[in-house]
Amino acid sequence: MAIMIAFGTFVAVTCMVYGLLFKTDELDESIVGRLGNLRSMRPNRAALPDLEAPFAQRVLAPLFTSLIGRITGMLPSTMVIRLEGALQRAGIQMSVGRFIVLVGISAGVVPLLGLLFMASNGASPKNLLFTYGVLLALGVYIPRMMVLSRIKKRQKLIWKALPDAFDLI
C-alpha cells in the first residue's frame, strides 16, 4: 500500500513539474488565438435581449423556439414532409414543430385536467383510469381531426370557386 501511495505521489509531482516547466511558443500562440476567438464571438451590447421587455418575450419565446427546433430535429423527415403538406393544404400558417408542441400540450394537459376534475368529484380509480385514457386519445386525435376537417373545407371552397376561375380565364 505504501508503495502505491509513493508511486502515485511521484506521478502527480512529475506531471505537475512537467506542466509548469514545459512551455513552448506553439502552446502560447494557440491559447492566445483561442482567447482572441472568444473575444470576437462575444455579442455586442445591441444584440443582447432588452431587459425592459416582458418575461414572455425575453425568456419564454426563445425557450419555446428552441423546443420547437429540437422537436422538429427529432422527427423523421418523411413525417415532417407529410405534416407540412397537410398544414399547407389546410391553410394553417404554422410550423411542424409548433403543431407537434400543441399536440403534445393537448395530449398532456387535457387528460390531467380531466383527471383532476374526476378525482375532485370522488371517482373510483377504475373510472379515473378510463377517463384518463379517453381524454388522452382525444388530446392526440382532436388536433389531427381539426386539420383534416380544415383540409376538407378548403378543398370544398376551392371546388366551388373553380367554375368562376375558369370563367375568368
Side-chain angles (χ1 to χ4, degrees), residues 150-162:
R150 295 266 312 256
I151 289 173
K152 285 184 181 182
K153 281 183 186 176
R154 192 159 184 242
Q155 285 176 344
K156 273 186 185 177
L157 288 174
I158 290 172
W159 276 104
K160 285 182 180 180
L162 200 57

Side-chain angles (χ1 to χ4, degrees), residues 72-84:
T72 305
M74 289 188 320
L75 293 175
S77 61
T78 56
M79 181 184 231
V80 171
I81 291 169
R82 281 188 292 156
L83 278 173
E84 278 178 350

Side-chain angles (χ1 to χ4, degrees), residues 28-158:
D28 291 338
E29 288 176 12
S30 66
I31 291 174
V32 169
R34 280 187 274 155
L35 287 175
N37 288 338
L38 288 176
R39 284 190 200 108
S40 66
M41 289 173 34
R42 178 187 289 170
N44 57 2
R45 191 134 182 100
L48 294 174
D50 182 22
L51 296 178
E52 301 297 322
F55 178 76
Q57 185 180 3
R58 283 183 298 125
V59 177
L60 296 180
L63 184 66
F64 193 64
T65 305
S66 172
L67 179 69
I68 288 172
R70 287 178 185 260
I71 288 175
T72 305
M74 289 188 320
L75 293 175
S77 61
T78 56
M79 181 184 231
V80 171
I81 291 169
R82 281 188 292 156
L83 278 173
E84 278 178 350
L87 291 173
Q88 204 171 35
R89 284 192 310 269
I92 299 173
Q93 300 291 327
M94 184 184 298
S95 69
V96 173
R98 188 173 294 241
F99 180 73
I100 293 294
V101 167
L102 291 177
V103 169
I105 289 172
S106 71
V109 173
V110 170
L112 288 178
L113 290 176
L115 195 66
L116 288 174
F117 178 73
M118 292 290 289
S120 67
N121 287 336
S124 68
K126 191 176 188 181
N127 286 343
L128 288 175
L129 187 61
F130 177 73
T131 303
Y132 183 77
V134 168
L135 290 176
L136 180 66
L138 288 175
V140 170
Y141 285 111
I142 283 179
R144 182 175 187 263
M145 293 303 148
M146 288 175 63
V147 168
L148 292 176
S149 70
R150 295 266 312 256
I151 289 173
K152 285 184 181 182
K153 281 183 186 176
R154 192 159 184 242
Q155 285 176 344
K156 273 186 185 177
L157 288 174
I158 290 172

